Amino acid sequence: MHTERREGAPMDATTRPTLESVAQRAGVSRQTVSNVLNAPHLVRADTTDRVRAAIDALGYRPSSAARQLRTGRSRVLGLRLEPVHDGINGAVLDRFLHALTESAQARGYRVMLFTAPDDAGEIAQYSELLDTADLDAFVLTSTHRDDERAAWLAERDVPFVTFGRPWGDRPDGAAAHPWVDVDGAAGTRAAVAHLRRLGHERIAYLGWPDGSDVGEDRAGGWAAAMVDAGHDGFLLRRLHARVPDGVAAGAQAIERVLADAAPTAVVCASDSLALGALTVARSQGTTLAVVGFDDTPVAAAVGLTSVAQPLSEAAQRALDLLLDQLDGTGGTRSREVLLAPHLVERASSRTP
């Protein structure tokens, strides 16, 4: 038996709400509902509130396929999921990805993940995804000098943003692409200042081999802070170890530096290196103070003081810069965002 649905009653599970049903419930035209969804600046606030209430009551969700036909946009963003070389530091990009996905979803976008073994493979994926999945834009991570990924996208006018600055000098007149990064030098400077307040002066540094722009940025902050404290270059060279990232490498490096320069504290380019140094300090029963970088979950678990990156803010700012390009709403907002990290103090911060 057919029963007419009462006005205002929720639709049954087999009936999908439409623009027409939302318009009828809100007492407006179908075009007004469309404007609320796609051009809210054209609609009065009280009308917008009424339409939004009808959308919530009916559980209406716009058709993504119809919206793509209308706007020419898929509202999908691409990001390469990099191989995990270290389970400790891999957590950094995981947290950035989670924050980016959450922010994008709140603004009606989705993040499509893909893999590639290197930059050339990533570029090949760009080409394929633009042809087959019609992605709107890309988010790049792990930037470096002569980054061909950014050049490829820029040459084809594909919107993108990078989590990481464009390292190296740009050609005269070249415009910088939008980027968000964290000031690594400020982080290691803060670590040295923190250790000096505790009474340390001979502060070592465990960093990465030459060739890492991020590594050089972090090492530069430590070196500048130590020079400001009155230490000469000869001592700094003895206190500075360059090793591949990893717990074992950190342990071996701090043993050498302890034997050669007798530091009372060490700042590290990563939590992996710091964990190695902390393991040696505890096994030898020394009072060596240790500070890591990235504030990974492991740092919290073992009581390691670490420099924390504002990853949620970085993801939000990166998304803002990306949507500025897609929506043309950037205005005077800066396209280059350098965020300040902060120090999270824990038990590994010890006095000499």
Side-chain angles (χ1 to χ4, degrees):
M1 181 178 71
H2 173 73
T3 301
E4 184 176 356
R5 187 172 63 89
R6 299 189 313 274
E7 181 66 25
M11 305 185 77
D12 65 61
T14 62
T15 306
R16 182 187 177 97
T18 63
L19 277 180
E20 287 78 5
S21 60
V22 172
Q24 182 179 9
R25 184 181 181 93
V28 298
S29 69
R30 184 182 185 280
Q31 183 59 51
T32 298
V33 177
S34 179
N35 286 342
V36 168
L37 294 171
N38 301 298
H41 61 283
L42 299 176
V43 186
R44 290 187 335 201
D46 60 332
T47 302
T48 296
D49 291 343
R50 197 162 71 249
V51 171
R52 291 289 184 192
I55 288 172
D56 291 342
L58 296 176
Y60 172 72
R61 296 180 64 184
S63 165
S64 59
R67 181 169 54 194
Q68 184 171 355
L69 286 172
R70 183 175 63 254
T71 65
R73 301 238 304 264
S74 65
R75 301 183 77 85
V76 178
L77 314 174
L79 185 146
R80 173 191 174 194
L81 190 63
E82 297 189 10
V84 176
H85 301 293
D86 185 314
I88 296 175
N89 293 320
V92 176
L93 285 180
D94 284 350
R95 286 150 58 200
F96 173 79
L97 172 59
H98 184 274
L100 179 73
T101 303
E102 192 171 56
S103 296
Q105 185 171 308
R107 298 172 73 168
Y109 283 80
R110 295 290 184 269
V111 177
M112 176 183 288
L113 301 179
F114 60 93
T115 62
D118 50 29
D119 285 1
E122 186 169 347
I123 291 172
Q125 286 293 313
Y126 294 161
S127 181
E128 181 176 345
L129 289 170
L130 287 169
D131 288 342
T132 62
D134 199 25
L135 270 64
D136 287 341
F138 291 92
V139 180
L140 282 61
T141 61
S142 302
T143 56
H144 53 83
R145 291 175 188 270
D146 303 319
D147 198 329
E148 295 181 356
R149 302 171 301 163
W152 191 93
L153 292 169
E155 287 171 2
R156 290 158 179 79
D157 293 323
V158 177
F160 71 98
V161 65
T162 63
F163 178 38
R165 72 198 82 171
W167 301 97
D169 296 329
R170 296 194 304 270
D172 291 341
H177 62 255
W179 57 265
V180 177
D181 202 0
V182 177
D183 192 341
T188 49
R189 269 185 173 275
V192 171
H194 164 70
L195 292 169
R196 293 191 69 224
R197 285 193 297 270
L198 292 176
H200 297 278
E201 285 300 330
R202 296 177 76 87
I203 303 170
Y205 185 78
L206 303 187
W208 300 320
D210 291 337
S212 166
D213 294 310
V214 173
E216 291 304 313
D217 185 45
R218 295 180 184 182
W222 165 80
M226 292 293 284
V227 169
D228 290 346
H231 298 293
D232 61 31
F234 176 72
L235 177 61
L236 295 192
R237 286 189 290 274
R238 293 173 61 201
L239 289 170
H240 187 179
R242 298 175 181 270
V243 294
D245 201 40
V247 177
Q252 294 166 4
I254 197 61
E255 287 178 341
R256 293 194 301 271
V257 175
L258 283 169
D260 179 53
T264 61
V266 59
V267 176
C268 302
S270 71
D271 282 352
S272 295
L273 293 173
L275 182 58
L278 187 62
T279 301
V280 169
R282 290 177 174 174
S283 67
Q284 294 184 357
T286 71
T287 58
L288 182 76
V290 182
V291 178
F293 205 111
D294 287 331
D295 193 34
T296 60
V298 170
V302 301
L304 173 66
T305 295
S306 188
V307 178
Q309 300 194 53
L311 297 172
S312 292
E313 183 181 2
Q316 181 63 61
R317 298 292 291 274
L319 185 63
D320 286 343
L321 293 175
L322 204 52
L323 299 192
D324 285 348
Q325 298 173 69
L326 293 171
D327 300 333
T329 57
T332 59
R333 182 174 9 220
S334 173
R335 288 159 48 95
E336 303 176 4
V337 179
L338 188 62
L339 301 174
H342 67 277
L343 194 72
V344 180
E345 184 176 350
R346 297 191 180 95
S348 70
S349 292
R350 310 174 65 177
T351 56

